[in-house]
Amino acid sequence: MSVKDKTLAMLENHRGEFFSGEKLAETLGVSRNAVWKAVKQLETEGYPIKAVKSKGYSLEETSDKLSLQGMLPFLDKSIDSSLIQVYESIDSTNNLAKELAVSGAANGTVIIANEQTKGRGRYGKTFESPKDSGIYMSIILRPEEMPQIDPSLMTAYSAVVVSEVLEQLSGEIIGIKWVNDLFLNGKKVCGILTEAVSNLETGRLDWIVVGIGINVSTKSELFSKNVQSVATALFNNKNTIRNKIAANVINQFFLQASNMMQKSMMQQYREKSIVVGQLVSIVSGADSYVAQVEDIKDNGSLMIKLSNGETRELRFGEVSLKL
């Protein structure tokens, strides 16, 4: 770990406390000049560090800068933090995660970015990812190392886990719009994009990448006009700690995987659904029509009823609430 990372870890673990350059140097086993250079570099990168004569350096308690060092105090001991990579800006966390997966990255590798310049959603749609206000994360999974979760239900599993974390940390009620969106007060607050590659010889999945984009404190004006009317943020102010949210998502994603039963997971998914019992517009392939959602099956399919009384099982498609 570099002197900069060690300095940041020390300040993150003691937010609001002042440490003299001498104390930091002694604790980290480096020179005071090395500490000074590290602090200057952190300030350049945007960390709000107070420097007060005779008191030393302190990271402001309200700092919302994403970093591995900032996540460490919140990560469960079972999580291998060496598998977490944090970027200031990246085109797409899913793109990098897929490249790493192909190169043999381990199960549990996590890519997190403060900004995505080419964030993606389902069907190639753009996922707008403004900087300094959201969490853009991709998790690499090796299906053989998570046998409790049916790969075909990974999106549903992710939606249940992330919605629970966001509810616990915000106190808000988070609903799931089939199949991959999380909603708060009728607007999208989080999107999930699951991508996978199968082995043609074995027929099994080699890897899965779960992309999770959360609008934590994103102001409406940071979205395009088209998105402003359908998206919202989890919090209305900047007094949040994205590191805590990101760490809790990672913790619960892996902790619950070993305990959650598929049937109970799907029951939670149904209970959180905002489309069951609702009239929705459906786009599936070249078809577009309106239907009533009657239920969600344990295999993740949507059971719908058309106006002529015909019932269908919908495995894929895009659904929007008919208001």
Side-chain angles (χ1 to χ4, degrees):
M1 187 182 290
S2 67
V3 176
K4 185 192 76 171
D5 290 342
K6 290 179 180 177
T7 303
L8 178 57
M10 182 83 173
L11 296 176
E12 280 282 7
N13 275 313
H14 302 276
R15 286 176 172 228
E17 295 182 33
F18 280 91
F19 292 92
S20 67
E22 182 179 7
K23 179 65 177 178
L24 283 170
E26 179 184 341
T27 303
L28 303 179
V30 299
S31 68
R32 290 182 61 178
N33 188 50
V35 168
W36 181 83
K37 287 182 178 178
V39 170
K40 290 301 176 187
Q41 190 173 351
L42 290 170
E43 288 176 332
T44 301
E45 293 176 5
Y47 289 92
I49 297 175
K50 289 181 180 176
V52 178
K53 192 174 181 180
S54 77
K55 294 179 71 174
Y57 306 108
S58 170
L59 181 66
E60 291 185 10
E61 291 184 83
T62 56
S63 171
D64 191 35
K65 187 84 172 168
L66 273 176
S67 71
L68 174 59
Q69 290 73 24
M71 277 186 271
L72 288 176
F74 306 108
L75 282 174
D76 188 84
K77 292 180 180 177
S78 63
I79 302 297
D80 184 352
S81 62
S82 70
L83 297 178
I84 300 174
Q85 303 177 22
V86 182
Y87 294 83
E88 179 60 25
S89 182
I90 197 172
D91 62 347
S92 160
T93 58
N94 261 34
N95 284 352
L96 178 56
K98 289 193 293 184
E99 291 175 14
L100 294 175
V102 170
S103 301
N107 180 66
T109 298
V110 181
I111 308 298
I112 300 178
N114 181 50
E115 176 190 31
Q116 288 187 120
T117 57
K118 294 180 180 178
R120 293 184 292 108
R122 295 175 76 214
Y123 304 112
K125 292 183 178 179
T126 297
F127 185 87
E128 297 186 11
S129 314
K131 65 180 180 180
D132 299 332
S133 59
I135 296 171
Y136 316 112
M137 169 192 304
S138 293
I139 303 173
I140 298 174
L141 304 171
R142 302 289 175 184
E144 68 275 13
E145 298 195 40
M146 292 185 69
Q148 303 88 344
I149 307 298
D150 182 338
S152 68
L153 295 176
M154 191 57 74
T155 299
Y157 170 74
S158 304
V160 169
V161 170
V162 177
S163 64
E164 286 184 347
V165 170
L166 300 188
E167 284 187 347
Q168 289 170 2
L169 296 178
S170 70
E172 302 283 357
I173 296 175
I174 306 296
I176 298 174
K177 183 178 80 67
W178 190 87
V179 57
N180 67 321
D181 289 332
L182 303 187
F183 269 52
L184 168 63
N185 297 327
K187 292 188 174 182
K188 182 174 175 177
V189 72
C190 171
I192 296 168
L193 175 63
T194 305
E195 299 180 279
V197 163
S198 60
N199 187 311
L200 291 177
E201 294 183 355
T202 64
R204 295 185 302 183
L205 289 177
D206 277 347
W207 49 261
I208 299 172
V209 167
V210 178
I212 302 166
I214 305 170
N215 304 327
V216 178
S217 60
T218 315
K219 292 183 178 178
S220 177
E221 55 264 33
L222 294 178
F223 292 120
S224 66
K225 289 191 180 299
N226 288 338
V227 173
Q228 285 180 12
S229 61
V230 296
T232 190
L234 189 61
F235 297 101
N236 292 323
N237 56 60
K238 287 285 291 179
N239 293 325
T240 59
I241 300 179
R242 287 181 295 160
N243 288 318
K244 182 178 181 179
I245 299 173
N248 273 273
V249 169
I250 296 169
N251 289 342
Q252 294 307 313
F253 196 96
F254 291 103
L255 291 173
Q256 293 198 32
S258 57
N259 300 317
M260 188 175 285
M261 302 297 290
Q262 184 170 307
K263 198 170 184 64
S264 63
M265 183 270 287
M266 286 308 300
Q267 182 57 33
Q268 291 180 59
Y269 187 85
R270 274 189 289 272
E271 291 172 356
K272 290 176 175 291
S273 172
I274 62 171
V275 300
V276 173
Q278 300 295 316
L279 199 62
V280 298
S281 296
I282 297 172
V283 177
S284 180
D287 297 331
S288 177
Y289 49 92
V290 174
Q292 181 87 16
V293 177
E294 298 207 313
D295 198 4
I296 298 174
K297 298 182 68 174
D298 282 348
N299 66 3
S301 297
L302 204 63
M303 295 305 299
I304 58 173
K305 187 174 185 177
L306 279 62
S307 57
N308 62 5
E310 177 190 350
T311 58
R312 290 183 185 176
E313 180 176 343
L314 192 66
R315 189 67 174 152
F316 305 101
E318 184 95 18
V319 166
S320 57
L321 288 167
K322 192 78 175 172
L323 301 176

